Amino acid sequence: MMNRSQYKAKEHVLLYLIKPSNYDDDGYVVTHFRGVLPSNTLNCLAALTRDVIEHRLLGDKVEIDLHLMDETVQRIPVQKICKQGRRNPGPTIVCLVGVQTNQYPRASDLARQFRSAGITVMLGGFHVSGYLAMLPEIPPDLQALMDEGVTVVKGEVEERWTTLLQDAVQGRLKPMYDYIDDKPDLFTKPIPFRPPTDEAFYGVQFRHD
C-alpha cells in the first residue's frame, strides 16, 4: 500500500484536452444545449492518454489527472482552470485539439488566456496542419502565438503523443512539432475511447492513482 510520503513524491499533472467551439457573427461563443456527435479527436486522444496512464509511460512518479472538454456543448471554465493551475504543484497542460478553421480564432483566444496564467499550451488540428502545409513560411498569426509560448503541433500525434506529454511535463516543449510526414500506424493504436459522461458528452475526468 502506498504511504503518504510516497504519494507526495509523485508529480501531479493536470491535463486538459479541450475541443474549442467558434464565434457567431456577433462574437459570442457557440455552445449547444446538447450535442449530436462526440468529438472523435477527443475520443482518440482520450484513448492515447489512457494508454499512457495505464502503462505508466511517463514513469511511476507521474500521476495524470485528465479532463476532457468540448466547448460546443459546455462552457470552458477558464478562470477555474487557471486557478487550479496556480495551485497545482506539478505541471498544468492545456491541449486545444481538433481545431478547425472556423474554430481557430476562439482557440487562439483561449490559448492566450491560458498562457497569461502561465499554463503550458499546445494547439493542433486540421487548420494548423493545413495552414502550415500550404505556406512556405510560418504565417504571422501562428508565429505570434508561438512567440507567446504556445506550442503548435502539425500533423498526426498518434505515434508521438507520449513524447509530447514527456516534453510538456518536463518543461521542454519546442515552439513547433512537425509530424506531417510521420503517418501513424492506426492498427497498433488504442481504439478511440469515450468515457462515461452526462448528456453533454464530456466534462468528465479520469486518473490513475
Side-chain angles (χ1 to χ4, degrees):
M1 179 179 294
M2 182 181 294
N3 61 42
R4 187 174 296 275
S5 63
Q6 287 176 313
Y7 180 81
K8 288 183 177 180
K10 282 182 174 288
E11 186 166 28
H12 184 217
V13 178
L14 292 177
L15 176 59
Y16 295 88
L17 302 181
I18 299 175
K19 181 71 166 64
S21 185
N22 61 288
Y23 293 117
D24 65 13
D25 292 340
D26 295 319
Y28 292 98
V29 177
V30 177
T31 304
H32 302 279
F33 172 71
R34 184 174 298 175
V36 178
L37 293 173
S39 167
N40 188 58
T41 300
L42 280 177
N43 291 346
C44 290
L45 289 175
L48 292 171
T49 306
R50 185 174 67 167
D51 189 62
V52 170
I53 292 172
E54 291 179 347
H55 293 91
R56 300 186 181 275
L57 299 181
L58 299 185
D60 292 334
K61 296 292 186 180
V62 177
E63 175 190 84
I64 298 177
D65 191 350
L66 173 64
H67 302 254
L68 307 178
M69 298 183 177
D70 188 341
E71 195 175 32
T72 61
V73 290
Q74 69 179 128
R75 185 181 66 85
I76 304 301
V78 175
Q79 296 306 316
K80 180 179 179 180
I81 293 173
C82 292
K83 184 180 295 185
Q84 289 174 336
R86 286 190 289 268
R87 292 176 175 175
N88 183 40
T92 298
I93 305 163
V94 168
C95 301
L96 299 164
V97 305
V99 178
Q100 303 293 320
T101 298
N102 69 326
Q103 299 161 341
Y104 176 69
R106 175 59 178 166
S108 298
D109 289 345
L110 285 172
R112 288 189 166 95
Q113 290 182 66
F114 289 125
R115 281 300 301 143
S116 68
I119 290 175
T120 298
V121 179
M122 289 190 278
L123 171 65
F126 175 80
H127 177 79
V128 170
S129 298
Y131 202 14
L132 291 170
M134 291 188 299
L135 298 176
E137 297 180 351
I138 300 173
D141 55 338
L142 273 180
Q143 185 61 60
L145 284 175
M146 293 164 60
D147 291 342
E148 294 176 47
V150 177
T151 291
V152 173
V153 182
K154 175 184 176 185
E156 308 294 339
V157 301
E158 280 83 353
E159 299 285 358
R160 305 293 183 178
W161 187 234
T162 301
T163 299
L164 284 171
L165 291 181
Q166 286 174 337
D167 287 356
V169 168
Q170 296 174 14
R172 62 184 190 193
L173 278 175
K174 304 173 186 176
M176 178 185 293
Y177 290 81
D178 187 350
Y179 302 138
I180 200 70
D181 295 322
D182 190 1
K183 307 303 181 186
D185 180 4
L186 298 181
F187 288 99
T188 64
K189 297 298 173 287
I191 296 173
F193 169 68
R194 178 182 169 188
T197 64
D198 59 14
E199 294 179 348
F201 300 139
Y202 294 112
V204 300
Q205 66 185 60
F206 61 91
R207 62 190 290 178
H208 190 218
D209 295 320

